[in-house]
């Protein structure tokens, strides 16, 4: 399975925020949408990604006052993206090596989706189950 198939199944909606949104507003957006990261976008270009982990780290380092500062102050600026033609194995390797749980999907410089580690694991489990069922069928019916 590739990223294109994942996006077709789960949808291409991505929650984005402007860089100047407050950290608190970004946290509220995460909670409202029940997601773990928002992509920070300005002029239709990815500027960074802000995860739950970034918010916790900001509050731990800077205290409660961090919540009033711009999300851009705490976002991860070096955003690793993937393309629609990346496969599940490539994506798992990328997420493991880079230690990211969310990877925006970019095509022709445009943000076209986002994939989480949960999406990847869900698809991989489905693939393994399909393979096991195919083997069962082959063994049972030769």
């Amino acid at each position: 399975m590739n990223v294109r198939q994942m996006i077709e199944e789960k949808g291409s909606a991505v929650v984005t925020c402007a860089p100047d949104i407050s950290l608190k507003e970004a946290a509220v957006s995460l909670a409202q949408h029940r997601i773990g990261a928002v992509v920070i976008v300005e002029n239709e270009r990815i500027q960074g990604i802000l995860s739950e982990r970034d918010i916790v780290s900001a509050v731990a380092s800077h205290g409660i006052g961090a919540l009033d500062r711009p999300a851009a102050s705490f976002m991860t600026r070096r955003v690793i993206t993937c393309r629609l033609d990346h496969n599940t194995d490539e994506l798992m390797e990328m997420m493991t090596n880079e230690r990211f749980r969310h990877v925006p999907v970019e095509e022709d410089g445009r943000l076209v989706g986002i994939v989480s580690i949960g999406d990847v694991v869900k698809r991989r489990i489905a693939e393994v189950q399909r393979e096991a069922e195919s083997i069962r069928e082959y063994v049972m019916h030769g």
Side-chain angles (χ1 to χ4, degrees):
M1 175 170 279
N2 64 23
V3 172
R4 180 183 313 280
Q5 292 165 308
M6 277 193 244
I7 295 296
E8 286 171 359
E9 282 180 22
K10 74 174 239 158
S12 62
V14 182
V15 177
T16 63
C17 293
D20 59 351
I21 190 172
S22 74
L23 196 61
K24 180 181 180 183
E25 291 171 304
V28 167
S29 184
L30 289 176
Q32 285 176 338
H33 292 95
R34 302 186 67 188
I35 56 175
V38 294
V39 180
I40 306 297
V41 176
E42 187 171 46
N43 298 325
E44 299 184 20
R45 290 282 190 226
I46 297 173
Q47 303 298 309
I49 190 164
L50 184 75
S51 69
E52 297 163 318
R53 192 181 304 172
D54 294 325
I55 295 169
V56 168
S57 182
V59 172
S61 298
H62 302 280
I64 201 78
L67 295 174
D68 296 322
R69 292 177 52 189
S73 300
F74 305 104
M75 69 186 182
T76 299
R77 293 181 183 279
R78 190 177 77 81
V79 180
I80 302 297
T81 62
C82 67
R83 295 182 317 276
L84 291 169
D85 62 351
H86 275 111
N87 66 41
T88 308
D89 292 335
E90 291 170 321
L91 200 51
M92 284 186 347
E93 183 177 341
M94 183 185 304
M95 291 174 132
T96 301
N97 291 344
E98 299 294 336
R99 301 183 57 88
F100 291 136
R101 293 182 288 176
H102 301 88
V103 178
V105 183
E106 241 182 347
E107 202 67 23
D108 299 323
R110 288 187 16 252
L111 179 64
V112 296
I114 190 165
V115 179
S116 73
I117 192 67
D119 298 329
V120 175
V121 169
K122 179 180 175 183
R123 277 19 175 239
R124 189 66 187 118
I125 288 170
E127 286 175 8
V128 168
Q129 288 173 335
R130 278 193 300 275
E131 289 168 7
E133 184 57 35
S134 293
I135 291 169
R136 264 193 293 281
E137 285 293 318
Y138 177 76
V139 169
M140 299 278 286
H141 301 98

